[in-house]
Amino acid sequence: MALLDDVASDLSKRAQPGTARFNFTIHAVIIRYFLGDDWFKEHLLPDAREDSFLRPDFENQDVDPRFSVLTLELAENLLNLQTVQGFRTCLDHMAVRQMQSGLCELQIGHVLRSRGVPFRYVEEGEATTVDLVLQTQSGVEGLGEIKCKYEEAEYSNKTIQRALATARKQIGKGNDGVVFVKLPSAWLEVIPQGVGDPPQIVLPAEIVATAKDQMRQTSRIKKVIFYVFHHVFDPVRGLGVTHATMEMTNSRLTDESPWRAELLSGTGTWTTMQELSRRWT
């Protein structure tokens, strides 16, 4: 995007690179480029729609850390995923579907790309109703379905059961599938560590048991991968963010199955907002 270079060059004369003003202006240019001015005004300005998940909250302070993190993540994902096949489908979903579901598709794409998993988004008109087509480390192809539990949702074990049961039907008989489930931060156990150390994120035993039970009933779902985008403030590190994943494998798989191997390497790392901002200087 040559336009972005021109904007950054001009903006650097009026705002110090790395500052909140500089970063947000660059993020705004990217978001408006992909999603349009009307979408930007409707969702990302202080007078945006009250029901917009991305609407900033400056009522009690001059900055909104949550807003800063989400706009940075949205801009980076739009910029970095634009070459992935089917990316345009994600933009269409951002415009016509619930905001959190559209963001979730991009966030899962970020996780797969950053962990080296080949994938593409399913495009309109294809026979399947899942969201992704992906590959194992050995090159075996499978289907990926994304389920998003909204951040404001109250925990219910039945919602997990329904999500996995629906994904099973979407994957279809005779197919191999992975189900990604985005969970609200409030549903997980976030265990504080020492000052300056990132917290530990733990998947509650009830959710683990539900996923195991659902996989025991099918051979279609090879893996269930729970995902959370979490941010927390530490007095030493400042604002920290993570794309945390918890991968579970179907116990019915044989030792020879290519799906027994770990699909995602690791569980995610913590990055500070300061470190993220440096990428835009």
Side-chain angles (χ1 to χ4, degrees):
M1 294 173 63
L3 172 63
L4 190 59
D5 292 333
D6 293 339
V7 171
S9 177
D10 180 66
L11 180 62
S12 64
K13 301 173 184 177
R14 294 175 282 113
Q16 180 68 29
T19 61
R21 178 187 176 192
F22 180 92
N23 290 340
F24 179 73
T25 302
I26 296 297
H27 301 158
V29 170
I30 294 171
I31 295 169
R32 291 167 69 181
Y33 174 83
F34 284 103
L35 295 169
D37 290 342
D38 291 342
W39 190 95
F40 182 85
K41 294 174 183 177
E42 190 175 359
H43 293 284
L44 281 166
L45 295 182
D47 60 349
R49 286 171 32 185
E50 291 188 3
D51 62 344
S52 174
F53 178 67
L54 293 175
R55 184 185 185 193
D57 179 13
F58 298 134
E59 184 175 344
N60 299 316
Q61 50 191 350
D62 294 331
V63 295
D64 179 358
R66 172 186 165 279
F67 174 74
S68 299
V69 168
L70 288 174
T71 52
L72 183 151
E73 285 288 329
L74 176 56
E76 281 205 345
N77 287 338
L78 291 172
L79 192 63
N80 295 334
L81 296 173
Q82 62 179 308
T83 59
V84 175
Q85 183 180 342
F87 170 75
R88 178 58 56 179
T89 303
C90 292
L91 301 189
D92 294 340
H93 292 169
M94 292 285 287
V96 303
R97 296 203 318 196
Q98 292 294 326
M99 174 61 56
Q100 293 189 56
S101 296
L103 286 172
C104 182
E105 291 177 355
L106 293 174
Q107 289 172 324
I108 295 300
H110 164 86
V111 169
L112 293 172
R113 188 182 181 95
S114 64
R115 310 273 185 93
V117 179
F119 79 99
R120 68 174 179 84
Y121 292 106
V122 170
E123 300 179 271
E124 296 294 337
E126 293 193 48
T128 181
T129 61
V130 299
D131 298 303
L132 305 166
V133 177
L134 48 78
Q135 290 182 5
T136 66
Q137 295 178 6
S138 60
V140 174
E141 191 170 88
L143 304 178
E145 173 58 16
I146 301 171
K147 298 299 182 185
C148 177
K149 303 293 113 182
Y150 291 172
E151 287 294 330
E152 64 273 15
E154 294 185 5
Y155 174 72
S156 167
N157 196 42
K158 289 185 177 180
T159 65
I160 301 294
Q161 293 174 345
R162 285 195 295 267
L164 295 178
T166 301
R168 174 187 176 183
K169 293 179 181 178
Q170 290 176 270
I171 291 167
K173 187 176 181 179
N175 294 321
D176 298 338
V178 177
V179 184
F180 299 88
V181 184
K182 181 180 180 182
L183 300 176
S185 295
W187 290 16
L188 304 177
E189 298 177 20
V190 181
I191 304 173
Q193 306 297 300
V195 176
D197 295 325
Q200 180 184 5
I201 297 180
V202 179
L203 197 62
E206 187 175 9
I207 294 179
V208 172
T210 298
K212 286 182 177 180
D213 180 64
Q214 290 295 309
M215 283 192 288
R216 276 195 294 265
Q217 301 176 40
T218 181
S219 60
R220 302 178 197 176
I221 300 177
K222 307 303 182 184
K223 292 178 180 292
V224 173
I225 299 178
F226 291 102
Y227 162 80
V228 61
F229 177 68
H230 187 69
H231 64 277
V232 66
F233 183 80
D234 180 88
V236 175
R237 291 168 53 87
L239 185 64
V241 298
T242 186
H243 294 270
T245 56
M246 291 133 277
E247 180 174 329
M248 299 178 61
T249 301
N250 195 324
S251 61
R252 297 178 59 179
L253 297 180
T254 64
D255 292 339
E256 294 74 26
S257 172
W259 294 98
R260 284 196 67 85
E262 187 178 51
L263 182 67
L264 304 178
S265 57
T267 58
T269 58
W270 284 88
T271 307
T272 65
M273 191 64 179
Q274 184 178 20
E275 292 167 342
L276 290 172
S277 297
R278 289 197 195 104
R279 300 209 290 252
W280 296 91
T281 59

